[in-house]
Amino acid sequence: MLLIECPWCGKRHETEFRYGGEAHIARPEKPEDLSDSEWANFLFMRTNTKGVFAERWYHANGCRQWFNALRHTVSHEFIGVYKMGEKPPVSVQGSEDR
Amino acid sequence: MTKYSIFSIARNAFSHHKNWPRQWRSPEPQKEYDVIIVGGGGHGLATAYYLAKEHGITNIAVLEKGWLGGGNTARNTTIVRSNYLWDESAAIYEKSLQLWEGLSQDINYNVMLSQRGVMNLAHSLGDVREGVRRVNANRLNGVDAEWLDADGVKEFCPIINVSKDARHPVLGATLQRRGGVARHDSVAWGYARAADMRGVDIIQNCEVTGITRDGGKVTGVETTRGFIGAKKVGLVAAGHSSVLASMADVRLPIDSHPLQALVSEPIKPVIDCVVMSGAVHVYVSQSDKGELVMGAGIDSFNSYGQRGSFHVIEHQLGACLELFPIFSRVRMMRSWGGIVDTCPDASPLVTKTPVEGLYVNAGWGTGGFKATPASGWCFAHTLARDEPHPLNAPFNLDRFTTGALIDEHGAAGVAH
């Protein structure tokens, strides 16, 4: 059972949240210029990190705000939460297990 | 190696069953192999077996970071069926069911296939239409399928609650009589023994830590037991597929999630079929030991932790009691989680990759156990011929670029 700290509401039960998957997948600036393989990469290909993972959560049964979180995908420990549009508080690359 | 038969049992009875030989060797890794299979679960071992049997390639190693069948092969709810909606899925899962039906004889190992019938319940008009459509699609594809109304459901599984007053009343069900369950450990052990008898090296406690390449072509793998050379490498690592593929800079459309299952205390025989419900979301069967075996959907978040959250179990038990009020006082004995590799279209990848000599068999998500024989059979063909068999050709990596997705979300008869 996860206890998730919403940046607005504080620590709440996991059942109040919806999961949004991998964070920081930027919407293409010029969608009309994308090749099929670039679309595939944007839409479907995922990092699926084993280790510290930047992901999105939505406080659906609360303040209804989206936010980002860093969470370890083996221990499930939350490293930190931060608002949409912000950079991760610690480097994700350097702390990966693999 | 002893062939298992009634005579070998009788012979060994004279020595009080103390002299049964080991089922497979535990060899030291050689310097190089023709094919290395990464992952010693059911799919990986089946791949090695069919490479040896169908394609005459026996210079193979199966590398397993833990022990054989200790991952999802040991953690699933052992349901076997082939009643998928789309042609591509029906073809590969039906091939699998046909292999299942002859498997115990083929590998001389009792996989305890019990074709007790699988029911997929319908709880709404939408479910009914979807179910009847799937029955028709199955029949057109040569897959046995029947539609049962609520009375038929009650007759087939008397303990089920078909009251009209239920919050999600049972309106009917699809039934595949050839579906059922098999013994999960036997599948891993049987394929391991059969592959080993044909000369395959099965190397346990050997984790792959890198995939070496030379000019875009695979040359071998780095492992915790040193470098092992290989002309071809097949990744069959379920939840860890993305981790392994990233070692060769291949990106996969896979997210890894926990999928939980649980068993009750053993009770007397009470349910002699498999019942699945995508709408209230639980699936139930009873093991030969008497335990009720249950599972449902994945935990929402990405994880490699082999455990999930309690509210997911709570939800599936709520669904279970909705269908089977008789179970209200049964105590649950244990629960566990496995890491499933989910694709965006809920269909697998059995495919070549952009890296020459590197092949991936992954993305089976929540339903891989039933596919074990055909998955190995098709992947062996792909590895041996360097091209997919027509059965697994649609399950390629390119479909995410071309858009030829095989959308089995819900279409498979149970929500994924």
Side-chain angles (χ1 to χ4, degrees), chain B residues 293-313:
Chain B
V293 184
M294 287 178 235
I298 57 173
D299 279 64
S300 66
F301 52 82
N302 284 38
S303 170
Y304 289 86
Q306 292 191 321
R307 65 196 181 285
S309 295
F310 187 72
H311 68 89
V312 176
I313 289 177

Side-chain angles (χ1 to χ4, degrees), chain A residues 1-2 13-15 19 21-22 36-37 40-41 44-51 53 55 57 71 73-76 98, chain B residues 65 239-240 242-243 246 251-257 300-305 307-311 344 397 400-401 405:
Chain A
M1 186 74 77
L2 303 183
H13 193 277
E14 179 192 339
T15 51
Y19 189 60
E22 186 174 336
D36 286 353
S37 63
N41 201 42
F44 298 123
M45 300 302 161
R46 293 293 177 260
T47 313
N48 198 18
T49 308
K50 183 179 185 181
F53 184 50
E55 62 191 12
W57 287 90
R71 186 179 56 91
T73 54
V74 180
S75 70
H76 297 174
R98 60 189 149 111
Chain B
K65 75 171 174 179
H240 278 72
S242 302
V243 176
S246 74
R251 268 167 78 78
L252 297 178
I254 286 177
D255 274 317
S256 295
H257 291 270
S300 66
F301 52 82
N302 284 38
S303 170
Y304 289 86
R307 65 196 181 285
S309 295
F310 187 72
H311 68 89
L397 200 49
F400 296 96
T401 305
L405 303 180

Side-chain angles (χ1 to χ4, degrees), chain A residues 32-66:
Chain A
E32 65 275 18
D33 292 345
L34 254 53
S35 68
D36 286 353
S37 63
E38 286 168 331
W39 270 119
N41 201 42
F42 167 69
L43 285 172
F44 298 123
M45 300 302 161
R46 293 293 177 260
T47 313
N48 198 18
T49 308
K50 183 179 185 181
V52 177
F53 184 50
E55 62 191 12
R56 301 176 304 172
W57 287 90
Y58 171 53
H59 197 180
N61 300 343
C63 62
R64 303 206 291 179
Q65 297 292 315
W66 283 90

Side-chain angles (χ1 to χ4, degrees), chain B residues 213-249:
Chain B
R213 285 164 292 160
D214 184 13
K217 191 181 180 327
V218 164
T219 56
V221 292
E222 296 287 349
T223 75
T224 48
R225 294 173 69 171
F227 175 79
I228 307 174
K231 297 185 182 76
K232 293 177 178 176
V233 173
L235 306 180
V236 199
H240 278 72
S241 296
S242 302
V243 176
L244 283 161
S246 74
M247 293 173 188
D249 299 319

